[in-house]
Amino acid sequence: ASGDPLAEPASSAGGSTIVVGSQAYYSNEIIAEIYSQALEAGGFTVDRQFQIGQREVYLPDIEAGKIDVFPEYTGDLLQALDKTAAGGTSDETYEQLQAALPDNLRVLDQAGASDQNSWTVTADFATKYNLTDIASLINVSVPITVGGNSELETRPYGPTALKEKYGIQTAGFKPVEDGGGPLTVKALEDGDIQLANIYTASPAFESGNLVVLEDPDALFLPSNVVPVVSDKIDDAAAAILNKVSAALTEDTLVQLNSQSVNDELSADKIATAWLTKEKLI
Amino acid sequence: MTWIWSNLDLIWDRTFDHLILSVPSIILSFVIALPFGALAHRYRTSRAVILTTVGLLYAIPSLPLFIVLPFIVGTSIRSPLNLIIALTLYGVALMVRVVADGLGSVDRDVQQSATAVGFSGWTSFWQVELPLAGPVLLAGLRVVAVSTVSLATVGAVIGAQSLGSLFTDGFQRGIQAEIIAGTLATVLLALVLDAILVLIGRLLMPWTRRSAIGVRVRPDTVAQEVTA
Amino acid sequence: MNFVTETVAWLIDPANWVGAGGIPTRLVQHLLFTLVTLVLAAVIAVPIGFLIGHTGRGRGLAVATSGAFRAIPTLGLLTLVALWVGIGLNAPYVALTVLAIPPILAGAYTGFEAIDRKIIDAARAVGMSEAQIVLKVELPLGLPLLIGGLRSATLQVVATATLAAYVADFGLGRYLFEGLRIRDYGEMLGGSILVILLAIVLEGVFALAQKLVVPRGVTAGLPTDIRDGSSRSRPAMESTIKEGTSHVRNE
Amino acid sequence: MIEFHSVTKRFPDGTLAVDDFSLVLPSHKITVFVGTSGSGKTTLLRMINRMVDPTSGSIEIDGADIGTLEPVKLRRGIGYVMQNSGLLPHRRVIDNVATVPMLRGMPKKKARDEALHLLDTVGLDRSLANRYPSQLSGGQQQRVGVARGLAVNPNILLMDEPFGAVDPIVRAELQQELLRLQQELGKTVVFVTHDIDEAFLLGDQVVILRTGGKVAQVGSPAEILANPIDEFVATFVGADRGKRSLHLENHGDGDIVVDETGRLAGVLVGERSSAGSESKAGPRGPGASAQGGDSR
Amino acid sequence: MIEFHSVTKRFPDGTLAVDDFSLVLPSHKITVFVGTSGSGKTTLLRMINRMVDPTSGSIEIDGADIGTLEPVKLRRGIGYVMQNSGLLPHRRVIDNVATVPMLRGMPKKKARDEALHLLDTVGLDRSLANRYPSQLSGGQQQRVGVARGLAVNPNILLMDEPFGAVDPIVRAELQQELLRLQQELGKTVVFVTHDIDEAFLLGDQVVILRTGGKVAQVGSPAEILANPIDEFVATFVGADRGKRSLHLENHGDGDIVVDETGRLAGVLVGERSSAGSESKAGPRGPGASAQGGDSR
Ligand SMILES: Nc1ncnc2c1ncn2[C@@H]1O[C@H](COP(=O)(O)OP(=O)(O)OP(=O)(O)O)[C@@H](O)[C@H]1O
Ligand SMILES: Nc1ncnc2c1ncn2[C@@H]1O[C@H](COP(=O)(O)OP(=O)(O)OP(=O)(O)O)[C@@H](O)[C@H]1O
Ligand SMILES: [Mg+2]
Ligand SMILES: [Mg+2]
C-alpha cells in the first residue's frame, strides 16, 4: 500500500502529518496505535499524541482541530456531547452521534468492537442472589456499595439512574480512579464494593469470575469503537481507517486488551502483531 | 520486572518528557525568584507581602492549579507549557524565601566592608551578596529541583506526559513493574539533577571547597548537607 | 471568568453542605486523615531525628535517605501500594506518611543540632546525665525547629491528601477528581479553595504553637541587641529555614 | 590536691593534645594553665572532671583515682565555669544556679534560696534572679556562671577562659572579684587562659604550655618573669619584645614607666620594697583573706 | 587633615550615637578613638567615608566638605580596615587586595602586580596570594586587610578595631608592624579600639569617648596618663584601680615593677631619662621615620 499514488497528494494536500490522539487508557491507546500504524503503512506521516487524559481534557483539542484522528466510543461520546441523548440501538446511537458532532468533525464507520459501561458483579455474588439482569439486584439483601471512576456517581447511568429506572437502592459510592481496572476488580473480589462499572472489553472477564448484568432497559448506550476525525482526513485515509474498523470485532478488542494487561505487551507491539495477522499492513 | 527490560525505550521517552517539564521550571523558578527574593530581603514591608503571597501559593493543591491555569494564561490544558508554568510557580514560591534568607545570611561585616571600600549598591549585589548567598541558594535550588521532579508526575493525571504516565498506565493495567519503574526513574532523575547542581555549585563556588586552616565555621555547610 | 461565579455558586449551594458527601464531612475527614498521617510520621521520624541530633551519628545516612524519600513521587507510591492492599485509606496512609517523614526528621535533627554545643557541653560538665540533657536541655531548645518541621509536613500532607481520593471515597480531594471528570469547575475550584483555607488555618495554628513553645529566654534578650550578635546561631537557623519551615511538596 | 601522673591524651583523629603531663595542683590555690590556642589547656582541665578521659596515665583527687569514679557523680561535685558562661538559655538565672543542687536532689525551694545567696556572693543584684541569661550583660552572665559553679559548694572549681569574652574593663572587675572570692572561699581553682597578664595576676602557680600539651615552665609568676626558662617562655611573657623591660622617663609631674616598644606602662609611685605577702611575687597565704573579706 | 565640626548623629531609632563632636585630626598622624562598647567610635569612623551621614554638623577633609562628594567615589579613595578583616571570602587573597583598584578601572594585570607588592609591604609571603581568606590565620587575614586598605594608596586609612580578633601575641606583632608601616608611609590614620593599652601604644592623639559619643579627654598618651581629666578617664586608663600606679619590688635578681593590684608589670632596666622623641610621651614627628625605615 505504500506505493499508492493517491497517498502522496492526499497527505500533502491536508498538511504534512496526521495527528492521532488517545485517551490515558491503555485500550484506547492500542486502538490509536493500530490507526497510526495503518495510516503509516498507507504512506501517511503520523504524529502520535497518546495518553492525553480523559475526554474533558482532549475534547477541546479535537474540537479546535489540533487532533485529526481519535478513537472514540459512540454512546460515551454522544452522552458527553449531549447529556439528554436518547441512544437506542447501536446504529441509532451512531446516527445520533453524527448529528451531535460539531461541523468540523465527523465519525467514520463504527467497528464491531464495543467497550461499553456495564454493571458488573462477581460470579459468586451473582449465584448467591440469583442475579441475571440489573433489575434482579432487588434480590440482594445486603447493602450494595458501588465502585468506579468518580464521574460515575453523576453519570446518566449512575446510581441515581439505577434507582429511577430499576428501583435499586445503593448504599454508597466508592471512587476507584482506574477506569474499571485491576483495583476495581480487586475491590469487588475483596467485597469492598458489590457492584462496579467495568468496561465490557476488559480482560478481567476472561477469568470468568465476573458477570455483567444484563441491561434490558438500555441504561447504557451502546459504545462501539469509532474514529472521530477532522477535515484533514481525506478519502484515502478514511478508507484505511474503515478497513481497520471492519476488522475490529468484539472479541478482538478483549484479546488485545488481554495482551496488554496479562502479557504486559506494549501498544505498538500488540498493534503490529494484529495488523500483520489481519493483513492490514 | 521483565516489563522494565522490554520497555526501556518507553521509560527513556517518558524521562525525556519529564526533563522537558522540569528543567525549564527549575531554571525559571530561580531566575524569577531572584528579584522577588531580593525585594523581600531589602524592604520590611515588601518582605511581609511577598513572603505571605508565596506561602499561600504553595498551599494550592497542584491538581486544580494544573487545570485552572489554562483559563488564566490561555495555554492548552495538556500543553507542557501549562505544566511548566505551574511547576515554576511552585518553584518560585519555594525559592523566593530561600533567596531572601540567603541574602540575609551574608555576613554583615563583609557587606559593610565591601561598601566601605567603594562597591556601589548594584556592584555589591552582583559581586558580593549574590555569590556569598550562593551556598544557601544552592541548597534551596536543590530542594526545588527534587520537588519539581517529583511534582511533575502529577501532570499525568491530567494527561501531560511524564514519568507519571507510567503510574496511571501501570495502575490501569495492573502492572506493578511499570509503577515501580516510574517511581525509581523519578527518584533517580531527581538525584541526578541534584548531583549536577552540586557539581555546578562546586565549580562556581570554589571557595567553599577549600578547608579552612583556622577553625572557621562556614555558614553554608549545615544548610548544604541538610538539604542533600 | 465564568468559573469564578461557578465556584462561588458551588460553595454557597446549601446542598453541598449536608450529608455524607457534604463539605463539613469531607473537611473533617481531610483533617483527621492529616492528623493521623502526621502522628504516624512523627512516631517514626522524631525518635530517629533526636537520636541523630543527640549523638551526631548517622546524620549523613539520614540526610541521604530523606533526600531520596523526598524525591519519591507520592502518586507512584500511592498507586503501587493500592495495587497491593486494595482500595480505601491504607494506601494513602502509607504514601503520605512517607511524604511527611523527611520534613519532620529534618526538623527534629536540625532542632537538636541548632543548639549551641557549648550549652550542651556545659550541661554535661555540671553533671547532667545523658537522659537529663535530652529531656531538660535539648528537647525544650530544639522544640521550635521540630514544630517547624511538623508545620512544613502538615502543609504538604493537607495539600497532597487530595490524592487519597484517587483510591478512596474520601476528603476534599473527591471534589477535585469529580469536578475534573465531569468538567464541573465550580466543584473543582470550590474544593481547592477549601483545601487552601484548611492549609492556611493549620499554618496559623502552627505559627502560634511555634511562638508559644520557643523558650522565653531564647527570644527575651534579642531585641535589646540591635547590632548583629547572632552570627553564631545563624548557620543552624538557616538550614532550618530551608529544611524545617520551607514547604516542599512532592505529590 | 589534684595530681596528674604521666597523663597523655591522644584524640581518635590522632591529635596528641597532651603528652606525658605530670603536675601537682595544690589545694586552696589557683593554678593557671596558660598557652596559645591548641596547647591542650582545655583538654587538661576537662580531664579533671572526666569530660575527657586520658589515653594513659592517671589523675588523682585527694589521693583517689578519678578513673574509678562515676563521671556524672564526679562532675556534680566539681564546679565548672566556661567562656560564654554556658548557661541554659531557656531557664531563668535563679534556676540556672539551682540546677545542679536540684539534680542532686535538693528540694526546689531550698535550692532557690541558696541560689539567691550565691547571687549575693558573686555580687549580682537579686532583682536579676528572674531574668533569662540573654537579658544580662556578658559580665553579669559570667557572674551567674561562677555562681552556678559554686552552687554545690565544691572543693574544686574549674574555669575555662571564663573572662575571655567580656570587655577589658568588666574583665578587670571580674578578675578582682575572683581574687576576693578566693580569699574568702579558698577553693582549689584550676584556671585556663591565654592571656599571660591574667595568668600572672590570678595564678599562685602558673603553668605555661606549648603546643601539644608540653609544659614549658611551671612556677610562681615572679619566678617565671625573672627567669624565663627558654626563648619560648620569654617570648610568651613578652620579655623578648621588651614589653617587660621597663624604664623610667621623667615627664614633668612625675616618673612615667615605659617599656621598650614605647608603650606606657604607668606612673611610678611609692618606694622600692622587697617582695611581700600582698603581691603575687611571693606565695599568698590564706591569711590574706581577712583583708579581702571587707571589700565586699 | 580631617575636621569634625559640631557633628551629631542620631539613628532613626532615636539612639544618639554622637553628640556635638568637634575635633581636628592632624595629617600624617595616628588618631585613636578609644572607649567602651557603644561609645560611638565606629559611628565616628564611618562618618569619615560617608558610610554614615551625620544628622547635623559637617566633616571636612583637607578643607573640602565631604557632604558634597559622591560617597562611592569618596570611599574608593580612603583605605578601610575592620575587625575580622572584612575580606571577601569568595575571592582569593590577591583579588581581595586588587578589588578596589579594579573598581577604579585599573587593568586586572596591573592591579594584581601591585597587589603582590602590597603583600610584601605588609609582610606576607607571596605564596599566600592564591589562597582564599578562610585558608589564612587570623593575623594573616588582618595583614591582607591592611594591604587592601593601602591598595589605592590613600591618604587616609580608617581602622576599626583591626586587631580585635587576633590573639595577644599576634596582636602585638601587628601593632609593631603598623607602627613601622606608618613611619614609612605617613598616612593619616584613624584607629578605633577599646583597648587602652593599644591606644596608648599607637596613638599620636588619643580621644577617649564616653557613651553617647561624648569626648571625655583628648591628648597625647602621656598627657592623659599624667593628668586624667576626671574620674571616668582615670577609671578607663586604669589609674584608679592602681593598675597605672606602679612601684618597685626587689626580688633577688633585680627590680620587679608591680602595680597596686599585685599584677606584675615587668622588670626595671636602664636609667631614668627625660621624655624623648622615641616614646609616645611626647609628639612624634615625621623625622622619626628615617630610623623606622631601617627596621624593615
Ligand atoms: N574532641 C577532639 N577531637 C580531636 N582533637 C581535639 C579534640 N579536642 C581538642 N582537640 C585538639 O587537641 C588540641 C588541644 O586542644 P585544646 O582544646 O585542649 O586546646 P586549648 O589550649 O584549650 O586551645 P584554645 O585556647 O583554643 O581553647 C588541639 O590541637 C585540638 O585541635
Ligand atoms: N544602624 C544603627 N541604628 C541604630 N543604632 C545604632 C546603629 N549603629 C550604631 N547604633 C548605636 O549607636 C551607638 C554607638 O554605636 P557604635 O557602633 O558607634 O559604637 P562603638 O563605640 O563602635 O561600639 P563597639 O565597641 O561595640 O564597636 C550604640 O548605642 C549603638 O547601639
Ligand atoms: Mg580551650
Ligand atoms: Mg565599633
Side-chain angles (χ1 to χ4, degrees), chain D residues 11-13 15 17 35-44 160-161 192 194:
Chain D
F11 282 104
D13 67 354
T15 316
T36 48
S37 194
S39 55
K41 308 179 293 291
T42 298
T43 306
L44 279 169
D160 193 355
E161 307 203 28
V192 162
H194 58 237

Side-chain angles (χ1 to χ4, degrees), chain D residues 179-226:
Chain D
L179 286 174
R180 178 187 64 70
L181 261 177
Q182 172 63 0
Q183 282 178 329
E184 205 175 309
L185 306 173
K187 306 284 181 197
T188 305
V189 178
V190 189
F191 192 103
V192 162
T193 179
H194 58 237
D195 176 352
I196 186 72
D197 283 332
E198 188 169 68
F200 282 172
L201 174 64
L202 300 176
D204 295 299
Q205 170 172 261
V206 173
V207 183
I208 298 182
L209 295 164
R210 45 168 111 230
T211 312
K214 295 219 176 57
V215 177
Q217 188 166 4
V218 180
S220 72
E223 281 161 17
I224 293 173
L225 194 53

Side-chain angles (χ1 to χ4, degrees), chain A residues 5-40:
Chain A
L6 287 177
E8 290 266 77
S11 52
S12 56
S16 50
T17 47
I18 294 175
V19 181
V20 179
S22 97
Q23 295 180 349
Y25 178 47
Y26 69 93
S27 172
N28 192 269
E29 186 186 346
I30 294 170
I31 303 169
E33 182 64 38
I34 288 173
Y35 290 169
S36 303
Q37 290 188 14
L39 286 170
E40 279 170 344

Side-chain angles (χ1 to χ4, degrees), chain A residues 24-26 29 49-54 57 61 66-67 176-178 181-183 260-261 264-266 269, chain B residues 2-3 6-7 9 14 76-78 156-161 165 168-177:
Chain A
Y25 178 47
Y26 69 93
E29 186 186 346
Q49 303 215 351
F50 292 174
Q51 294 273 344
I52 50 182
Q54 306 300 323
V57 177
D61 279 358
K66 288 184 192 163
I67 299 171
V176 192
E177 307 284 347
D178 66 346
L183 193 55
S260 174
V261 171
E264 303 189 356
L265 293 177
S266 61
K269 288 193 183 115
Chain B
T2 50
W3 184 90
S6 45
N7 288 277
D9 51 342
R14 292 297 158 269
S76 139
I77 191 165
R78 59 181 191 84
V157 176
I158 57 155
Q161 300 267 34
S165 309
T168 47
D169 189 55
F171 188 47
Q172 289 169 354
R173 296 165 67 191
I175 303 177
Q176 296 186 8

